[in-house]
Amino acid sequence: NAGVTQTPKFQVLKTGQSMTLQCAQDMNHEYMSWYRQDPGMGLRLIHYSVGAGITDQGEVPNGYNVSRSTTEDFPLRLLSAAPSQTSVYFCASSWRLAGVHEQFFGPGTRLTVL
Amino acid sequence: AQSVSQHNHHVILSEAASLELGCNYSYGGTVNLFWYVQYPGQHLQLLLKYFSGDPLVKGIKGFEAEFIKSKFSFNLRKPSVQWSDTAEYFCAVGSGNTGKLIFGQGTTLQVKP
């Protein structure tokens, strides 16, 4: 199993550009999430999905869109990049066993917006 | 609102010293509690988790944590740290229904050889 994969690993954008961060998992997990990591702020939830076709907002959803057309993929779209979106982005997936989720994280995408 | 607070932002210890990192949470439902570690340049790895039963949980690499419900705390401990424990540590509280995790701000641990 590859686990959770993310592409690209690094990306530099100019303000106003759009792009999609890719996330895929091969563990047949129902639940997938996107987090951003900023110094001194821990990880903050952007969007999450509890299954194909179902998504919801997290703590910091503004400026980001998601969709979940398949169980495996959960792309994150930046519609019009802003310098405030410079961050490290982590995708995670989990399954529920006995009421507990254990999340598995991808390697991250480091995004710089100029 | 759900929240997680980690009291120590930056901890510096010498090898063989004991470690305790504080974590307090605010959550209205049944809690699932986690500690994750992020080694330099790597992604998050699960150290240990608590969801029910024995409030003292043991994780990988000699780490343990104690859930104290009355204090809303889930502190991480290790009796004797090593240089290889240098990393950032995150406490998180999770929803059993949605898989959402709320993270604390993180604690950077630096272990001096």
Side-chain angles (χ1 to χ4, degrees):
Chain A
N1 283 354
V4 180
T5 58
Q6 291 183 238
T7 56
K9 290 187 177 179
F10 302 94
Q11 183 70 50
V12 179
L13 293 178
K14 295 181 179 178
T15 297
Q17 287 185 313
S18 62
M19 79 158 296
T20 299
L21 307 185
Q22 300 292 344
C23 174
Q25 52 93 8
D26 61 359
M27 297 174 282
N28 203 32
H29 286 171
E30 288 182 286
Y31 304 86
M32 297 187 74
S33 311
W34 275 102
Y35 297 85
R36 58 177 289 174
Q37 182 180 21
D38 302 292
M41 305 189 75
L43 279 80
R44 292 178 292 168
L45 181 64
I46 304 171
H47 285 285
Y48 66 99
S49 169
V50 299
I54 306 170
T55 64
D56 205 348
Q57 297 180 351
E59 302 171 78
V60 288
N62 293 340
Y64 307 95
N65 275 359
V66 292
S67 60
R68 183 98 180 270
S69 56
T70 67
T71 300
E72 294 78 18
D73 300 298
F74 191 44
L76 179 72
R77 296 183 188 84
L78 282 69
L79 304 176
S80 178
S84 61
Q85 293 179 304
T86 293
S87 188
V88 182
Y89 291 84
F90 289 99
C91 178
S93 72
S94 66
W95 62 304
R96 188 179 177 192
L97 179 63
V100 181
H101 284 267
E102 179 176 335
Q103 299 223 2
F104 295 83
F105 285 83
T109 294
R110 185 174 294 275
L111 175 68
T112 302
V113 183
L114 302 174
Chain B
Q2 303 159 10
S3 66
V4 178
S5 177
Q6 293 181 238
H7 314 302
N8 320 98
H9 297 298
H10 197 162
V11 174
I12 302 174
L13 294 173
S14 297
E15 275 193 314
S18 64
L19 170 71
E20 180 160 4
L21 301 182
C23 173
N24 285 91
Y25 66 92
S26 170
Y27 190 75
T30 303
V31 289
N32 301 157
L33 294 161
F34 305 85
W35 275 97
Y36 283 88
V37 62
Q38 186 178 31
Y39 298 103
Q42 297 188 24
H43 61 284
L44 277 79
Q45 301 173 40
L46 181 67
L47 268 181
L48 47 80
K49 61 187 177 187
Y50 170 83
F51 55 97
S52 66
D54 189 342
L56 184 63
V57 292
K58 296 191 183 299
I60 61 172
K61 305 187 180 185
F63 286 91
E64 64 178 32
E66 185 175 13
F67 170 57
I68 304 179
K69 188 175 181 179
S70 61
K71 295 185 178 180
F72 298 94
S73 70
F74 190 56
N75 293 353
L76 181 71
R77 299 195 291 248
K78 186 171 185 178
S80 176
V81 295
Q82 300 173 316
W83 176 80
S84 58
D85 292 325
T86 294
E88 191 159 16
Y89 293 80
F90 294 95
C91 180
V93 59
S95 163
N97 292 325
T98 65
K100 291 167 53 178
L101 282 178
I102 303 298
F103 282 87
Q105 306 94 318
T107 297
T108 301
L109 172 64
Q110 183 181 354
V111 180
K112 294 185 173 180

